[in-house]
Amino acid sequence: MTTTLTIEHRADRVHVQLDRPDVRNAIDQTMIDELHAVCAELEQQPRILIISGANGVFASGADIAQLRERRRDDALLGINSALFSRIAKLPMPVIAAIDGWALGGGAELAYAADFRIASTSARLGNPETALGILPAAGALWRLAELVGEPVAKEIILAGRILSASECLAVHLVTEVHDPDDLLAAAHALADRIAAQDPLATRLAKEVFHAPRAAHPLVDNVAQSILFESEAKFTRMDAFLARRKR
């Protein structure tokens, strides 16, 4: 039973909706704990994860009332960063379906996903420095990897909030849809992922994120596993049979 999330389970995916409407889905400790439980489930039973927000908002950020009371030792625990790193490392791909505001920790949650798609009303940014802190849950390094240093610095150091069209222009998101169509688009993307071989998808994600020095050895080792998999022979036989028609 969750109090901050609405969760839908399907055979090949889990859809998690952030649901704290009174505070625009702000991320509090309870939500952190409940998302960790989702991660534990998906680590044991790998499936695609879709994350969205209820009531036209993805997540307005960390819960400021709780954040106000955190001190040095809390920062060193990496409360949000540990969760977002865990989400990023999930075996199967993660899709963030961003509607409305995705600010601060909400934006950093989206950055941790493998895919980001947005509604036309989406707005992403990191206003932490305006509150006397910095975005310590991934924006200071993930965002530069995603959009490049100049845009990342404008967002982090100058408080720029990106619209959906601006997010698309800098490739922070890959699709923009009307709000009413956003979840259908997320499931359509999940359908395309689910059509791939699950083991190949898992290994491709892991190898993709391996450090540069690990390549090409890690590619070859992963490929050696797949070359022995039954799915490889089944899928390639089906391909060859279609080509003969």
Side-chain angles (χ1 to χ4, degrees):
M1 181 71 179
T2 58
T3 61
T4 69
L5 309 175
T6 301
I7 304 176
E8 176 194 4
H9 291 84
R10 299 191 188 181
D12 59 5
R13 72 198 66 173
V14 173
H15 174 204
V16 170
Q17 189 174 63
L18 312 180
D19 194 3
R20 297 186 70 215
D22 294 345
V23 288
R24 296 185 177 182
N25 304 332
I27 300 169
D28 69 349
Q29 186 62 55
T30 301
M31 185 180 286
I32 293 284
D33 295 340
E34 291 179 352
L35 285 169
H36 272 297
V38 171
C39 289
E41 176 186 341
L42 293 176
E43 288 160 355
Q44 292 297 314
Q45 298 178 294
R47 280 164 287 170
I48 299 160
L49 174 61
I50 299 172
I51 305 174
S52 67
N55 301 298
V57 177
F58 184 72
S60 59
D63 190 306
I64 300 300
Q66 288 190 2
L67 200 59
R68 165 66 178 77
E69 300 309 312
R70 289 180 183 169
R71 306 301 292 265
R72 176 193 59 200
D73 290 347
D74 298 307
L76 292 173
L77 288 173
I79 294 169
N80 287 12
S81 62
L83 171 67
F84 300 163
S85 291
R86 191 175 186 183
I87 288 171
K89 293 175 183 175
L90 285 172
M92 290 292 282
V94 178
I95 301 167
I98 306 161
D99 191 18
W101 295 106
L103 298 176
E108 290 176 303
L109 172 57
Y111 303 156
D114 298 289
F115 299 90
R116 283 161 298 282
I117 66 174
S119 77
T120 52
S121 68
R123 299 292 184 272
L124 278 80
N126 287 94
E128 283 90 342
T129 54
L131 296 172
I133 59 174
L134 54 78
L140 289 170
W141 54 280
R142 279 200 184 97
L143 188 55
E145 292 177 352
L146 293 169
V147 302
E149 183 178 315
V151 175
K153 283 184 174 177
E154 197 170 355
I155 292 168
I156 294 167
L157 305 181
R160 180 178 174 186
I161 304 294
L162 298 185
S163 66
S165 60
E166 290 171 328
C167 287
L168 187 63
V170 299
H171 307 295
L172 186 54
V173 303
T174 54
E175 304 174 22
V176 175
H177 300 273
D178 288 334
D180 290 343
D181 299 328
L182 181 62
L183 282 181
H187 282 291
L189 176 55
D191 290 340
R192 298 201 300 274
I193 297 167
Q196 315 308 309
D197 174 53
L199 180 59
T201 301
R202 288 178 61 181
L203 289 176
K205 175 176 174 176
E206 188 150 355
V207 172
F208 187 96
H209 290 289
R212 178 64 184 86
H215 300 282
L217 177 60
V218 67
D219 308 65
N220 296 338
V221 171
Q223 191 76 300
S224 73
I225 295 169
L226 293 171
F227 273 11
E228 299 296 329
S229 72
E230 185 176 341
K232 172 222 175 184
F233 294 101
T234 301
R235 286 172 175 263
M236 289 191 178
D237 286 346
F239 175 85
L240 292 171
R242 287 194 300 270
R243 194 170 67 178
K244 288 178 180 178
R245 291 175 191 161

